[in-house]
């Protein structure tokens, strides 16, 4: 009887240890819980938005000619004023680099006037830009949701110019002119769809002659601008 009792105790211990091993095996091989992570932000995609800013410090030196004879300069037209408009564009991100193309259209009141004497004759000059637009590639570097970029390309706009003197000679023109733009900026994505930017641009519409055989000057319509903008990324 003692022999059979010992055998029984042996089998009972074996069964208990086997159950414990099986429980450990089930615990050790259980699959880990799934971990979900939000996808990384990308700048790739179309966007559209609005902007507003200020133009300042053009540098158009006004030198008058009468009947072909250069008389001298009366100073500098420094166009300035507020501007606002809208932009559309597309970005494509490759690693940290962002390639893009943007077009914008602005309205504003960017103007200046100047007057002064040359000899015994007084001269006046006025310039004004009512609207302008640009078409520009952009090249940026993204630090996740913040991007710095440079930009440059085509600029076009309506340039108004008028000149006159105190003895009755006068000339004026209002034409759409093409030029160039260059600038840089920083843009930050507050959400996956809403971004804001701060941008600097220099715009130059080139040098052209305004006037007639009696009075004329070389006009160089240019200005700097700083603007802020909001974009919605689709």
């Amino acid at each position: 009887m003692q022999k059979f009792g010992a055998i029984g105790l042996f089998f009972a211990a074996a069964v208990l240890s086997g159950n414990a091993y099986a429980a450990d095996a089930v615990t050790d091989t259980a699959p880990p819980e799934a971990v979900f992570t939000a996808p990384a932000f990308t700048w790739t995609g179309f966007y559209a938005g609005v902007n507003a800013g200020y133009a300042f410090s053009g540098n158009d030196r006004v030198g008058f000619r009468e009947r072909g004879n250069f008389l001298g300069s009366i100073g500098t037209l420094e166009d300035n004023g507020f501007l606002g408009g809208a932009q559309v564009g597309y970005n494509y991100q490759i690693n940290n680099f962002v390639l893009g193309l943007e077009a914008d259209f602005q309205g504003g009141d960017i103007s200046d006037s100047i007057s002064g004497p040359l000899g015994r004759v007084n001269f006046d000059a006025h310039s004004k830009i009512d609207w302008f637009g640009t078409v520009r590639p952009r090249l940026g570097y993204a630090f996740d949701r913040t991007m710095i970029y440079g930009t440059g390309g085509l600029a076009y706009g309506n340039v108004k110019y008028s000149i006159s003197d105190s003895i009755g000679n006068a000339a004026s023109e209002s034409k759409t002119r093409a030029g160039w733009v260059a600038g840089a900026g920083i843009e930050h994505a507050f959400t996956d769809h809403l971004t804001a930017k701060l941008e600097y641009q220099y715009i130059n519409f080139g040098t052209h002659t305004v006037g007639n055989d009696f009075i004329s000057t070389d006009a160089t319509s240019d200005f700097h601008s700083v603007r802020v903008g909001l974009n919605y990324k689709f």
Side-chain angles (χ1 to χ4, degrees):
M1 291 297 291
Q2 291 181 350
K3 182 178 181 180
F4 287 111
I7 294 173
L9 290 174
F10 173 77
F11 279 110
V15 170
L16 290 175
S17 63
N19 290 338
Y21 179 79
D24 290 341
V26 170
T27 302
D28 292 342
T29 58
E33 294 184 3
V35 177
F36 296 97
T37 58
F41 177 78
T42 177
W43 288 91
T44 298
F46 288 97
Y47 64 89
V50 294
N51 69 81
Y54 190 77
F56 59 95
S57 296
N59 187 19
D60 181 5
R61 183 163 295 279
V62 182
F64 279 94
R65 293 185 297 270
E66 267 196 348
R67 296 175 175 83
N69 297 316
F70 181 73
L71 301 179
S73 173
I74 62 169
T76 301
L77 285 170
E78 297 183 355
D79 291 335
N80 61 87
F82 290 97
L83 58 91
Q87 67 273 346
V88 295
Y90 179 80
N91 289 320
Y92 184 75
Q93 184 169 352
I94 306 172
N95 296 323
N96 293 91
F97 291 96
V98 181
L99 305 176
L101 181 66
E102 182 174 288
D104 64 66
F105 188 85
Q106 312 294 130
D109 183 10
I110 306 169
S111 60
D112 195 19
S113 60
I114 190 173
S115 62
L118 288 174
R120 289 180 290 181
V121 179
N122 197 64
F123 290 83
D124 294 276
H126 305 266
S127 66
K128 186 176 182 180
I129 300 169
D130 289 322
W131 59 264
F132 69 95
T134 70
V135 179
R136 301 168 281 108
R138 300 199 309 173
L139 175 60
Y141 189 87
F143 302 90
D144 191 19
R145 290 179 176 268
T146 300
M147 174 177 63
I148 57 174
Y149 63 89
T151 184
L154 171 69
Y156 60 94
N158 179 251
V159 179
K160 296 180 179 179
Y161 214 96
S162 64
I163 56 176
S164 62
D165 62 25
S166 57
I167 59 176
N169 297 312
S172 64
E173 72 169 27
S174 177
K175 290 185 177 181
T176 300
R177 296 199 170 272
W180 56 274
V181 55
I186 182 170
E187 190 167 359
H188 180 75
F190 292 99
T191 71
D192 288 346
H193 297 288
L194 185 64
T195 73
K197 68 177 181 178
L198 174 65
E199 186 174 81
Y200 161 81
Q201 287 186 358
Y202 172 73
I203 293 177
N204 190 309
F205 290 113
T207 301
H208 56 284
T209 300
V210 178
N212 51 47
D213 291 338
F214 299 98
I215 185 174
S216 62
T217 187
D218 292 329
T220 304
S221 300
D222 69 330
F223 58 90
H224 306 265
S225 72
V226 175
R227 59 186 182 177
V228 294
L230 288 174
N231 286 323
Y232 183 85
K233 177 178 172 293
F234 298 97

